[in-house]
């Protein structure tokens, strides 16, 4: 398990590193873009470097306890990346290997996607991975881990205590909406072999595929599950519910492959950054595995990065309708840059753009049909850190093109089978869920006015003749405070 596992675009890493390590020299002839890229790397801020060296030497000489040079340098690098945005980070060799394990779908741990909070006092759960110890222990998206084995997160280096030999146990202290106090959950570690694709028939002819993450084999597994469902349906499906709820992302190439399998033509996603190596465009090739059968995508606030790319591609191309809640809004691309010593830097290098040209960053994807979770008593009194679950709330996040627009509201996490039933209803009869919601909403306002007319006429005639002089002075002060 690693902190903030997000969609990673592997972009010609070695050439990128050789470019990044340039320190000067005469620029070679080429395009204006290439010249500007070289100019960026050649301008070394010597005064700032001198200032850093002065602070570094002061810490080495005067800090209360001796500090190892390697540890001090790694802390400096981590701090440099942490202040850029929430998704750029430094991996030492062990962290880098664990990150690769996650992409390949096998590692030892509890099976949860995490986001390090900037104040280093907690870890936010992006989502537990399906059928892992974390999911079976009842850990939910949006939970805050404030301690591991009784130690505060601020006193722990990264998330290493979550990793360990299969069969060993770890105690997590959680803060959760709806729970008045922190509570402990004991989780038994396992060798996590993530199954990113699951499927079943919802009704005769109507299939369901759950994508929990995007890893190296997700695209091939998706094709197998589609074939199995079609076989069960007698050759062709009537429709498909594609469940991306609490899917934190993963490999962009896997999401692109799934989109390509459902699209016959059109753009899937494009990325744009400061340097040309970060610019890419992915288009669909002919061939639709479902042969035109309708698709409904189910998403929620835990759907991030690559899952948002897939939802946006299918919706913008008119291939699917999106049902659920506003997605997380992580519209940035991270490139993993390996270093000579085995460590790596995960650096934000570009932004995603859906086929319509819109950025997902800090706005997410607004569904065509909005579903609401079952509200519990006390939700309105919860702090924003627990209820507002989105990229836009992360300190230091990249500013979105449409961030802060009128009517913006972070999405909700939508657990359970209820959203699946709504998605199936929408698949079978487009517009049915919205019509049902309007009918239910129309009933509520009718009940309120029905009670008021009966009470007011009886009270006013009796009160006015006898209480006019006394009632007026009391009525005005009562109304005035409510006007502002």
């Amino acid at each position: 398990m690693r902190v903030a596992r997000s969609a990673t675009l592997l972009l010609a890493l070695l050439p990128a590193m050789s470019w990044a390590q340039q320190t000067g020299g005469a620029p070679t002839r080429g395009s204006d873009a290439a010249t500007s890229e070289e100019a960026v790397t050649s301008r070394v801020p010597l005064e700032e470097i001198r200032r850093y060296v002065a602070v570094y030497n002061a810490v080495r000489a005067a800090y209360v306890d001796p500090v190892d040079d390697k540890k001090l340098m790694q802390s400096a690098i981590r701090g440099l990346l942490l202040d850029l945005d929430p998704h750029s980070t430094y991996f030492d060799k062990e962290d880098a290997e664990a990150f690769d394990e996650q992409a390949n779908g096998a590692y030892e741990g509890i099976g949860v996607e995490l986001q390090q909070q900037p104040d280093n006092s907690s870890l936010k759960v992006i989502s537990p991975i399906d059928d892992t110890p974390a999911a079976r222990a009842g850990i939910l998206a949006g939970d805050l881990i404030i301690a591991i084995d009784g130690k505060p997160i601020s006193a722990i280096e990264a998330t290493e205590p979550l990793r360990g030999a299969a069969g060993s146990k770890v105690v997590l202290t959680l803060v959760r909406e709806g729970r008045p106090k922190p509570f402990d959950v004991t989780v038994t570690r396992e060798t996590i072999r993530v199954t990113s694709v699951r499927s079943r028939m919802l009704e005769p002819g109507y299939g369901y595929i759950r994508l929990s993450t995007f890893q190296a084999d997700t695209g091939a597994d998706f094709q197998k599950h589609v074939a199995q469902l079609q076989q069960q349906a007698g050759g062709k499906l009537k429709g498909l519910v594609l469940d991306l709820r609490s899917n934190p992302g993963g490999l962009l190439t896997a999401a692109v492959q799934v989109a390509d399998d459902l699209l016959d033509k059109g753009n899937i996603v494009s990325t744009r950054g400061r340097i040309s190596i970060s610019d890419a465009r992915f288009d669909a090739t002919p061939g639709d595995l479902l042969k035109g059968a309708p698709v409904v995508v189910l998403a929620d606030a835990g759907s991030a990065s690559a899952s948002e790319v897939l939802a946006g591609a299918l919706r913008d191309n008119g291939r699917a309708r999106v049902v659920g809640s506003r997605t997380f809004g992580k519209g940035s691309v991270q490139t993993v840059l390996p270093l000579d010593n085995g460590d790596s830097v995960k650096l934000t290098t570009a932004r995603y753009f859906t086929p319509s040209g819109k950025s997902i960053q800090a706005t997410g994807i607004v569904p065509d049909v909005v579903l609401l979770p079952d509200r519990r008593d006390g939700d309105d009194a919860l702090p924003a850190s627990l209820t507002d679950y989105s990229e836009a709330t992360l300190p230091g996040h990249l500013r979105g093109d449409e961030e802060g627009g009128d009517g913006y509201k972070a999405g909700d996490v939508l657990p359970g089978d209820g959203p699946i039933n709504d998605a199936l209803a929408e698949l079978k009869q487009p517009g049915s869920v919205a019509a049902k919601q309007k009918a239910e909403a129309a009933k509520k306002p009718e009940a309120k006015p029905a009670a008021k007319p009966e009470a007011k006429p009886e009270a006013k005639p009796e009160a006015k003749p006898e209480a006019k002089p006394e009632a007026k002075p009391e009525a005005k002060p009562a109304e005035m405070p409510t006007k502002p």
Side-chain angles (χ1 to χ4, degrees):
M1 122 191 39
R2 283 276 53 79
V3 175
R5 285 195 182 58
S6 35
T8 304
L9 180 61
L10 302 179
L11 297 172
L13 300 181
L14 294 179
M17 283 307 297
S18 63
W19 166 80
Q21 292 170 351
Q22 287 180 336
T23 57
T28 57
R29 293 183 178 180
S31 67
D32 292 339
T35 302
S36 63
E37 290 168 10
E38 291 172 0
V40 171
T41 58
S42 64
R43 295 170 188 165
V44 180
L46 295 179
E47 289 302 319
E48 295 302 319
I49 291 176
R50 290 192 184 101
R51 185 156 64 104
Y52 165 76
V53 172
V55 174
Y56 184 91
N57 287 332
V59 173
R60 291 183 64 200
Y63 186 68
V64 62
D65 293 321
V67 182
D68 178 73
D69 284 342
K70 181 179 179 181
K71 182 178 180 180
L72 188 58
M73 184 61 74
Q74 285 184 333
S75 296
I77 295 173
R78 284 192 174 97
L80 169 68
L81 295 168
L82 182 63
D83 278 351
L84 292 177
D85 70 272
H87 307 293
S88 294
T89 189
Y90 179 84
F91 290 152
D92 59 26
K93 185 176 181 180
E94 188 174 335
D95 289 340
E97 290 174 352
F99 186 84
D100 291 339
E101 287 175 358
Q102 171 66 13
N104 292 328
Y107 61 95
E108 290 189 341
I110 66 171
V112 65
E113 305 288 342
L114 299 173
Q115 172 69 58
Q116 178 79 53
Q117 299 301 86
D119 61 2
N120 200 36
S121 64
S122 63
L123 298 169
K124 175 170 277 189
V125 176
I126 296 178
S127 68
I129 300 173
D130 290 351
D131 197 27
T132 62
R136 291 194 293 271
I139 295 174
L140 302 177
D143 284 350
L144 293 178
I145 301 175
I146 61 173
I148 300 175
D149 285 332
K151 295 181 180 179
I153 295 300
S154 58
I156 298 173
E157 184 175 351
T159 59
E160 286 313 303
L162 296 181
R163 296 175 59 81
S168 60
K169 295 183 178 181
V170 61
V171 179
L172 308 181
T173 302
L174 304 178
V175 173
R176 176 180 296 168
E177 62 174 279
R179 299 286 291 268
K181 297 180 180 179
F183 61 98
D184 290 341
V185 174
T186 300
V187 187
T188 302
R189 301 180 181 93
E190 293 180 3
T191 298
I192 307 297
R193 292 183 175 86
V194 180
T195 302
S196 63
V197 186
R198 287 184 173 84
S199 66
R200 58 188 170 96
M201 295 297 292
L202 296 175
E203 289 184 5
Y206 291 96
Y208 167 87
I209 292 182
R210 161 73 176 159
L211 298 181
S212 60
T213 187
F214 291 97
Q215 53 196 39
D217 57 358
T218 299
D221 286 348
F222 177 77
Q223 295 176 352
K224 293 176 183 177
H225 281 265
V226 169
Q228 291 170 3
L229 290 173
Q230 287 177 327
Q231 185 177 9
Q232 294 175 40
K236 182 181 177 181
L237 288 169
K238 296 179 182 177
L240 176 71
V241 173
L242 184 60
D243 190 350
L244 302 179
R245 290 176 299 167
S246 292
N247 180 327
L251 297 179
L252 174 64
T253 50
V256 168
Q257 184 175 350
V258 173
D260 191 11
D261 286 338
L262 297 175
L263 292 170
D264 200 46
K265 60 181 180 179
N267 176 240
I268 296 174
V269 67
S270 59
T271 66
R272 301 173 214 163
R274 287 181 60 203
I275 58 176
S276 58
I277 197 173
S278 299
D279 295 343
R281 179 185 170 93
F282 298 89
D283 294 316
T285 55
D288 174 3
L289 291 182
L290 293 181
K291 304 172 185 177
V295 178
V296 164
V297 173
L298 183 56
D300 68 1
S303 305
S305 200
S307 58
E308 294 177 283
V309 167
L310 175 56
L314 297 180
R315 208 249 303 267
D316 284 4
N317 280 287
R319 184 65 184 87
R321 304 187 75 222
V322 179
V323 172
S325 185
R326 184 191 292 265
T327 59
F328 188 78
K330 184 191 171 296
S332 60
V333 184
Q334 281 66 48
T335 302
V336 177
L337 307 176
L339 305 178
D340 293 340
N341 64 351
D343 296 353
S344 297
V345 172
K346 180 159 72 75
L347 187 67
T348 299
T349 55
R351 299 172 189 255
Y352 294 123
F353 292 87
T354 65
S356 64
K358 293 184 177 180
S359 170
I360 301 168
Q361 179 60 23
T363 56
I365 292 175
V366 179
D368 300 295
V369 179
V370 177
L371 304 180
L372 298 175
D374 294 331
R375 292 293 180 185
R376 292 169 287 187
D377 293 340
D379 279 4
D380 294 338
L382 293 171
S385 61
L386 289 176
T387 58
D388 194 348
Y389 184 61
S390 68
E391 172 83 6
T393 63
L394 298 179
H397 70 274
L398 296 178
R399 182 77 182 176
D401 293 344
E402 299 181 10
E403 183 175 350
D406 293 339
Y408 174 83
K409 181 182 179 298
D412 297 292
V413 176
L414 303 172
D417 291 336
I420 298 176
N421 296 332
D422 287 334
L424 176 61
E426 190 68 18
L427 181 64
K428 295 170 66 176
Q429 186 177 349
S432 60
V433 174
K436 178 183 176 182
Q437 291 174 341
K438 288 181 180 179
E440 292 176 350
K443 294 178 182 178
K444 294 178 181 179
E446 289 176 3
K448 291 180 180 178
K452 288 180 180 178
E454 294 178 4
K456 286 183 178 178
E458 293 178 5
K460 285 181 180 178
E462 294 179 8
K464 283 182 179 179
E466 298 178 7
K468 270 187 180 180
E470 297 177 6
K472 286 183 178 178
E474 291 177 7
K476 287 182 179 179
E479 293 171 1
M480 290 297 288
T482 64
K483 289 182 180 179

